[in-house]
Amino acid sequence: MTLSAFSIILAAVLLNSAAQLMLKAGAQSLGTVAFNGASLFSAAWNAATQPWIVLGLCCYFVSAGLWIVALTKVDVTVAYPMLSMGYVIAAVLAWHFFGEALTASRILGISIILVGVVVLARG
């Protein structure tokens, strides 16, 4: 894999992770959402006008565009597993920004993911 292709994949993954965190921030401001008629419409409107959610969806859109470019340069069997880096990034940033727990089992899982990404990138 070339440095250019890896950079595009990494940018797509970073934007995807950022989108997750922005959606989480937006969801926290919405509070609990009930799934029934009028309140569902109201919750959808509140979500559609919540800046963090809108920004998160924009990040997803740009990430998808970069992903398409990446797939023109790299086999999907190599590129797709690289998305797992997003789990690592999102977990660490969720711990930092939202105080989510990074337990020993989560850290072990993150370590396994990182080893897998390195093996894929070298192969």
Side-chain angles (χ1 to χ4, degrees), residues 4 9 18 24 37 47 56 63 67 70 77 84 91-92 95-96 103 111 120-121:
S4 170
I9 291 171
K24 171 70 173 178
S63 174
W67 188 249
T77 55
S84 62
V92 171
W95 166 75
H96 178 73
T103 62
S111 300
L120 280 169

Side-chain angles (χ1 to χ4, degrees), residues 4 28 31 39 50 70 72 76 87 98 101 115 120:
S4 170
Q28 284 182 324
S39 66
Q50 210 298 320
T72 68
V76 73
Y87 296 119
F98 299 116
V115 168
L120 280 169

Side-chain angles (χ1 to χ4, degrees), residues 17-18 20-22 24-25 28 52 89-102:
S17 297
Q20 286 293 327
L21 296 171
M22 290 175 199
K24 171 70 173 178
Q28 284 182 324
W52 282 117
I89 295 163
V92 171
L93 292 178
W95 166 75
H96 178 73
F97 289 113
F98 299 116
E100 294 186 8
L102 273 181

Side-chain angles (χ1 to χ4, degrees), residues 33-64:
V33 175
F35 283 99
N36 58 38
S39 66
L40 185 58
F41 178 78
S42 175
W45 178 256
N46 288 339
T49 59
Q50 210 298 320
W52 282 117
I53 291 177
V54 172
L55 190 56
L57 292 173
C58 289
C59 284
Y60 267 135
F61 181 77
V62 174
S63 174

